[in-house]
Amino acid sequence: MTARSFDGGATWTAPQRIDDMYPNGVADMRVGEILPSAAVDPRNGNLYVVWADARFAGNVDQVLISRSTDGGETWSEAAIVSDGPSD
């Protein structure tokens, strides 16, 4: 989820859903898989969010990305950006 403020954080928009998260994790370890990371492209203002997710590999977390080109109003479908094996 994400929200935006246009007044320095005094008020916020309603939360906007980016995507669901399906982390697999590592048994008996805290690995931070449910902590997404965000970035802004300073050239065009596009927003990017990445997170660990097992939806495409079944039992292995891969890195997924979603992009917003309209300031967070809408988000792209999640796409795989990691290129390692799925095992």
Side-chain angles (χ1 to χ4, degrees), residues 8-76:
T11 61
W12 293 87
T13 62
Q16 176 67 35
R17 181 183 166 276
I18 297 172
D19 205 334
D20 295 326
M21 296 175 72
Y22 301 98
N24 185 54
V26 178
D28 301 320
M29 291 188 74
R30 182 176 176 194
V31 294
E33 68 212 356
I34 61 170
L35 300 174
S37 294
V40 178
D41 185 332
R43 298 169 296 165
N44 56 25
N46 287 348
L47 305 171
Y48 298 89
V49 176
V50 296
W51 65 95
D53 198 296
R55 75 180 72 185
F56 297 113
N59 62 348
V60 175
D61 283 335
Q62 296 173 307
V63 179
L64 302 189
I65 190 168
S66 183
R67 176 182 70 174
S68 176
T69 59
D70 59 8
E73 288 289 322
T74 61
W75 292 86
S76 68

